[in-house]
Amino acid sequence: MKKVKVTLYGVGAVGSLIAKFLLEKEGIEIVGAIDIAKEKVGKDLGKVLGIGKTLGIKVSNDVNSVLSKEKADVAIHTTSSYLKETYPQIASIISHGVNVISTCEELSYPYLTEPELSKKLDTLAKKHEVTVLGTGVNPGFLMDTLVITLTAVCQKIKSIKAVRVMNAATRRLPFQKKVGAGLTVEEFRRKIENREITGHVGLEQSIAMIADALAWKLDKIIAEPVEPVIAKKLVESKEIKVESGRVAGLKQRAKGIMNGKEVILLDFQAYIGAEEEYDAITIEGTPPVRQKIQPCVHGDLGTVAMVVNAIPKVIKAPAGLLTMKDLPVPSAAIEDMRKYVKV
Ligand SMILES: NC(=O)c1ccc[n+]([C@@H]2O[C@H](COP(=O)([O-])OP(=O)(O)OC[C@H]3O[C@@H](n4cnc5c(N)ncnc54)[C@H](OP(=O)(O)O)[C@@H]3O)[C@@H](O)[C@H]2O)c1
């Protein structure tokens, strides 16, 4: 049986963690690596990953040459959060007849913000007989797919609440920066306003995915303003020191409103020094469901797992643009990848 061939599109923080995990796994072979970062282009992937050996794969910014040189079964795409930016990248992967698994947050439920691009991706994917999936730990699992799965034991549902609280100190540096750790409150507000930092992207997509699964017609989705969490004492990560009075991270909430009532509430908090870390889901209904994961699922480890575990399911899925709710029940693929998918 042939190995499952993977091309990396994006070798940043998450792409590198995924690459290192793939190198440990049986039955998988990395056949190409794409990135535009000057310090990476032209270098051996092993060097870029800092694993102390070369892999014979040069990181390239020439998308067409990488994708046509050796046909991959799947491309793992980890460049950016917004579909307007990633659309041409994803379209080029599809046009080479390669399946796509992407961590682009808007792609986790792209019909919400980009209905036209979603249609185009679906048509293109069907034409080239490949599957496109946006996934990750969140969006992709904790505040949507897991919530949807838990609703399976309910006969009636009044409301759903999901809360994720995490200590940003345990996460990769781009994430700590994205939540504003170390900034003054004024800097934080300015950077949020001019979109230099984004906060968490995906709460609205998660709400839309849950509503779609339940066939709830929401009146609207409200994303509340992103608020800073201010350090009450000195808190620090390996990379960032946050003095008392400065921003340790952020909190943000989004709500799904139906018939004038709040039926879905997602509450996301990520800051350095969070003492209690957890993922909690509460479903008010018949029967009620209360689920709490403690500590919260580690975001980076969880994202790497979600992406790699999705490989066999995506290879076997029907062609087109899919979301996590369209795939079979998610599960780990811990054995030799060839056992899950015959390539
Ligand atoms: N759904 C989830 O649960 C989840 C979880 C984790 C991450 N994410 C998302 O996944 C994405 C990647 O995260 P990250 O932390 O790895 O970010 P990162 O460290 O900034 O890595 C992105 C890499 O892609 C490169 N890149 C940017 N545009 C490109 C293009 N057009 N073609 C090729 N390469 C390009 C970047 O180069 P430059 O540095 O030169 O721009 C960088 O090397 C982010 O949007 C993040 O929010 C989602």
Side-chain angles (χ1 to χ4, degrees):
M1 252 191 300
K2 283 192 289 177
K3 287 188 177 180
V4 176
K5 292 182 180 178
V6 175
T7 286
L8 304 166
Y9 198 131
V11 195
V14 169
S16 296
L17 290 172
I18 290 171
K20 286 183 197 163
F21 183 50
L22 290 175
L23 291 170
E24 280 172 24
K25 282 193 80 72
E26 294 284 317
I28 283 214
E29 187 185 0
I30 299 176
V31 297
I34 298 164
D35 203 291
I36 51 165
K38 276 198 196 104
E39 67 280 10
K40 294 172 195 163
V41 174
K43 280 204 184 133
D44 186 87
L45 179 62
K47 270 238 159 88
V48 171
L49 299 178
I51 54 171
K53 61 173 182 184
T54 54
L55 296 169
I57 300 157
K58 280 228 178 336
V59 176
S60 168
N61 56 6
D62 187 341
V63 178
N64 286 328
S65 112
V66 173
L67 290 170
S68 41
K69 195 168 151 206
E70 179 136 23
K71 173 113 186 287
D73 300 297
V74 60
I76 292 182
H77 173 269
T78 57
T79 65
S80 154
S81 305
Y82 301 101
L83 191 51
K84 270 203 181 70
E85 279 169 39
T86 56
Y87 174 81
Q89 304 160 19
I90 294 168
S92 69
I93 303 171
I94 299 172
S95 305
H96 283 83
V98 176
N99 294 298
V100 185
I101 301 174
S102 173
T103 58
C104 172
E105 283 92 336
E106 283 191 344
L107 190 67
S108 67
Y109 195 83
Y111 320 104
L112 181 68
T113 51
E114 304 295 348
E116 287 310 311
L117 292 183
S118 303
K119 249 187 239 155
K120 282 165 83 174
L121 280 180
D122 186 51
T123 307
L124 196 64
K126 283 178 176 147
K127 179 175 161 202
H128 292 277
E129 296 180 347
V130 297
T131 306
V132 178
L133 175 75
T135 193
V137 81
N138 184 38
F141 189 67
L142 290 168
M143 292 180 120
D144 40 52
T145 310
L146 182 59
V147 175
I148 291 167
T149 307
L150 288 174
T151 65
V153 294
C154 297
Q155 298 172 6
K156 291 178 185 168
I157 298 175
K158 271 198 216 138
S159 65
I160 293 172
K161 180 178 175 183
V163 185
R164 176 159 170 76
V165 181
M166 71 173 110
N167 183 356
T170 65
R171 301 290 306 273
R172 65 194 192 281
L173 185 58
F175 182 86
Q176 295 177 44
K177 288 192 171 158
K178 208 163 75 168
V179 299
L183 301 175
T184 64
V185 176
E186 296 69 41
E187 283 168 343
F188 177 89
R189 294 209 189 281
R190 183 168 35 79
K191 282 181 188 250
I192 286 284
E193 206 175 296
N194 62 24
R195 290 170 71 102
E196 258 181 80
I197 56 171
T198 55
H200 174 72
V201 181
L203 291 183
E204 295 100 310
Q205 282 73 18
S206 292
I207 288 179
M209 198 199 299
I210 296 168
D212 187 0
L214 298 177
W216 279 358
K217 285 255 169 286
L218 297 180
D219 312 337
K220 58 184 169 182
I221 295 174
I222 302 172
E224 291 183 352
V226 182
E227 287 297 330
V229 173
I230 297 160
K232 293 194 181 82
K233 55 179 185 189
L234 174 77
V235 288
E236 57 192 316
S237 66
K238 255 194 314 188
E239 302 89 354
I240 301 179
K241 243 191 184 136
V242 185
E243 305 285 346
S244 169
R246 291 179 83 101
V247 175
L250 54 73
K251 50 186 178 184
Q252 57 194 98
R253 304 195 325 164
K255 296 170 177 178
I257 310 291
M258 186 168 68
N259 302 327
K261 280 196 196 128
E262 182 184 303
V263 288
I264 303 174
L265 171 65
L266 302 187
D267 179 343
F268 176 92
Q269 304 173 36
Y271 54 96
I272 294 180
E275 273 160 23
E276 201 202 352
E277 294 192 282
Y278 61 91
D279 290 293
I281 296 169
T282 307
I283 302 174
E284 299 300 350
T286 315
V289 176
R290 313 239 184 287
Q291 181 252 17
K292 192 166 186 179
I293 304 173
Q294 261 176 318
C296 67
V297 175
H298 189 280
D300 299 338
L301 296 175
T303 294
V304 171
M306 285 298 299
V307 167
V308 174
N309 290 333
I311 291 174
K313 293 191 166 59
V314 162
I315 290 178
K316 287 196 269 185
L321 172 63
L322 300 184
T323 69
M324 285 299 292
K325 77 169 185 50
D326 308 316
L327 283 182
V329 177
S331 56
I334 44 181
E335 299 293 332
D336 186 316
M337 199 54 91
R338 289 167 291 193
K339 288 190 184 172
Y340 302 100
V341 49
K342 295 187 182 90
V343 177

